[in-house]
Amino acid sequence: MTHTLPGRRLSRAAVGVLAAATLTGLASLPAVAVAAEPDLGIGPLAPVTGAQPGSGVDVPFSVLNKGTEEVGKVWVTYTVTSGLAAADSYGNCMYSTESSADEEPEKAVAVCAVEQPLKPGVLYVPEQPIGLKAQDSALYDKVRVSIDSTEPGPSDNGGTDPVPGTGAPLKLVEKAPATDADRASHDEATGYADVTAVNTADFALTGARLKGEVGDKVTASVKFVNDGPAWVYRELGQGAATVDVRIPPGTSVVKAHDFCSPVTKTHYTCGTSQSWVNPGRGETYPFVLRIDKAVEGSTGKISFAGASRPFDKNAANDTADIVIDAGAGTTGGSTSGGSSTGGSTSGGSTTGGSSTAGSTTGGSTSGGTAPQTTGGNLAATGSSSSLPLVGASAAALVAGGGIFYAVRRRAAAVK
């Protein structure tokens, strides 16, 4: 039988006593003070209206250190959408662009290192409001201003490399002691402002003229384009435009474009890939139609619907036709060619009566002008023996908003 040695038992007891004494000593040490995190806030930014393309736009802002300790250095960051640009080049700022992502458009970004102390409980403002310029494409734009006690990291969206400014530095100056109302209004470290310019954007529609016989399948490629000069940026979740497509009598839809959803068998509503559309960009909507019977003068209609367009002063190109010239024959299932734009376009090329879809970026068809039209907003088309196949990713049309969003993700939120 094994027996426990008395010496080992005493040793364990001694260890227990020493451990208790050590813990008691640690508990009696004074607590180490932990520095409070800086608490910085931006005041609300006032909206800007009536900006003139080519003119300057001032964006004033205020900053409040809501903490109890002085902050020795801060970073002021401001971003603007593509209708705006930096008018002033501050020497303590780094300038870059941030690529579009998460259904947000491309932005210009300035990150400014302001090396001066910010006292607690004091309002600060820039010596001069941030200097911006309204570009020729300005219409509905946004400004974002934020303040940080640490340097912001680079965007995960990609973009251009930062370039240092060349002018005098951006400085903050004391304005007044903060009131309770100031503390309440500076509750966030980021502020936003809308900038609305006095400008126009011409949304235009182009239809198609198709020829075929009963039983043929034909492709009607109708198009929406923003002829500018302004870009149009709607609210997130809302399409840049909504297009109504009415199918010509005597035809049925074999395949609709992925951005389009049926209201009835002969009525479709089409949206856009993003909540914005740049000048010279838009969408092309190919519809594969079967000619079920010959109807003299068979004409379908396309028109704008959805959100109002107070910026569009030209109503002459707001509607267009889809015309079917059907013969009396019954060729039974032969395929007639897609619609032609009647000549080359910047969004694609036209050869032998069939049109090729132009390359797209972010779902928008590139090209600076609407296709050439015949008889109003109607593209002249012919026939061929091939059926153009329209490759498109799976998509969903948001009901009422008229917008299709390609799936994008990024690793971290930037805004």
Side-chain angles (χ1 to χ4, degrees):
M1 185 174 184
T2 303
H3 297 276
T4 303
L5 296 177
R8 179 174 295 178
R9 179 179 296 169
L10 291 174
S11 176
R12 289 176 177 173
V15 169
V17 171
L18 289 173
T22 302
L23 291 174
T24 302
L26 288 175
S28 65
L29 291 175
V32 177
V34 178
E37 288 290 329
D39 187 5
L40 303 173
I42 289 276
L45 305 182
V48 178
T49 58
Q52 297 289 334
S55 65
V57 176
D58 289 339
V59 180
F61 67 92
S62 58
V63 174
L64 176 60
N65 175 6
K66 298 176 291 180
T68 58
E69 301 293 332
E70 185 174 274
V71 178
K73 181 179 181 179
V74 295
W75 281 262
V76 174
T77 301
Y78 59 95
T79 65
V80 297
T81 51
S82 65
L84 301 172
D88 296 327
S89 179
Y90 301 108
N92 57 342
C93 299
M94 300 292 290
Y95 295 88
S96 62
T97 60
E98 181 181 314
S99 300
S100 62
D102 288 351
E103 287 68 57
E104 290 274 3
E106 181 181 275
K107 299 179 181 67
V109 182
V111 180
C112 309
V114 182
E115 297 194 43
Q116 65 182 80
L118 266 62
K119 302 173 185 177
V122 176
L123 278 179
Y124 288 83
V125 296
E127 280 187 319
Q128 299 292 332
I130 292 176
L132 303 176
K133 179 181 178 180
Q135 310 219 74
D136 291 342
S137 61
L139 181 60
Y140 303 138
D141 285 276
K142 293 184 181 295
V143 178
R144 173 185 182 271
V145 182
S146 63
I147 185 163
D148 298 279
S149 59
T150 58
E151 183 176 8
S155 168
D156 293 327
N157 298 338
T160 62
D161 292 332
V163 175
T166 57
L170 176 67
K171 294 182 179 180
L172 300 175
V173 296
E174 291 187 25
K175 180 182 179 182
T179 64
D180 290 341
D182 292 329
R183 291 182 177 277
S185 65
H186 289 68
D187 57 332
E188 299 291 340
T190 301
Y192 301 87
D194 293 329
V195 178
T196 305
V198 180
N199 207 351
T200 62
D202 184 13
F203 281 13
L205 294 172
T206 303
R209 180 179 291 276
L210 308 170
K211 292 182 179 180
E213 307 234 341
V214 173
D216 286 354
K217 294 176 184 177
V218 294
T219 300
S221 291
V222 299
K223 185 173 183 178
F224 148 66
V225 68
N226 173 17
D227 282 335
W231 82 313
V232 176
Y233 180 26
R234 306 283 197 177
E235 295 296 326
L236 286 179
Q238 183 181 42
T242 303
V243 178
D244 256 6
V245 179
R246 308 277 179 162
I247 306 304
T251 66
S252 56
V253 177
V254 177
K255 179 175 173 56
H257 189 267
D258 290 327
F259 292 3
C260 304
S261 63
V263 179
T264 68
K265 290 182 179 181
T266 60
H267 177 196
Y268 281 72
T269 299
C270 303
T272 57
S273 60
Q274 298 289 2
S275 58
W276 70 91
V277 58
N278 291 320
R281 297 296 183 98
E283 306 285 1
T284 298
Y285 309 109
F287 278 78
V288 180
L289 306 177
R290 181 173 51 245
I291 302 176
D292 298 322
K293 62 180 180 180
V295 176
E296 184 177 355
S298 178
T299 303
K301 298 287 186 181
I302 59 174
S303 59
F304 287 113
S308 63
R309 294 171 290 109
F311 48 81
D312 190 348
K313 308 302 182 183
N314 180 18
N317 53 16
D318 289 352
T319 61
D321 295 337
I322 304 172
V323 178
I324 304 291
D325 294 328
T330 56
T331 55
S334 65
T335 303
S336 295
S339 64
S340 162
T341 57
S344 63
T345 72
S346 53
S349 62
T350 302
T351 307
S354 63
S355 67
T356 58
S359 62
T360 62
T361 302
S364 297
T365 304
S366 62
T369 59
Q372 180 180 344
T373 61
T374 302
N377 296 335
L378 186 66
T381 63
S383 300
S384 72
S385 60
S386 63
L387 172 65
L389 298 179
V390 182
S393 59
L397 183 70
V398 177
I403 183 166
F404 162 82
Y405 277 129
V407 178
R408 295 184 183 86
R409 298 187 66 89
R410 62 179 179 180
V414 176
K415 322 273 180 313

